[in-house]
Amino acid sequence: MKAKSLRLLKVNQKAIIKSISARGELGRRIRDMGLLPGTEIQVVGRAPLKDPVALRLKGFTLTLRNNEADYILVEEINVPAND
């Protein structure tokens, strides 16, 4: 599966963070919030105008602006359908 921007995930989708391309202060801030490669995340909501996005990770909820989410590449987790 191909990595894509976190911004493109829909509500309730789960993914694994593959890389963070932000550098400097923004990169440090993103990492300080717990958004590290290998971390599983789930989009739990979006504001009415689609910005910011609410994420669930490591037992807490975090909101992130779309312009920050663009620096985070993720790979979707395929959840098998219930038969």
Side-chain angles (χ1 to χ4, degrees):
M1 196 168 281
K2 189 175 178 181
K4 64 181 182 179
S5 170
L6 171 57
R7 178 195 288 247
L8 300 176
L9 292 180
K10 294 177 177 36
V11 173
N12 294 323
Q13 278 189 301
K14 290 184 178 183
I16 301 286
I17 296 174
K18 290 299 176 184
S19 67
I20 298 169
S21 61
R23 301 284 179 242
E25 182 66 24
L26 178 58
R28 185 187 65 74
R29 197 167 75 77
I30 287 172
R31 288 174 180 83
D32 285 350
M33 289 187 283
L35 297 165
L36 302 167
T39 302
E40 182 178 321
I41 60 168
Q42 180 178 12
V43 175
V44 294
R46 288 192 175 274
L49 297 177
K50 307 291 186 218
D51 193 15
V53 59
L55 306 172
R56 188 85 181 148
L57 65 143
K58 299 180 180 180
F60 67 94
T61 302
L62 172 73
T63 58
L64 198 64
R65 294 194 176 278
N66 281 330
N67 64 341
E68 297 166 330
D70 286 337
Y71 290 101
I72 302 169
L73 290 180
V74 299
E75 194 171 281
E76 287 180 57
I77 298 173
N78 290 331
V79 179
N82 292 335
D83 291 330

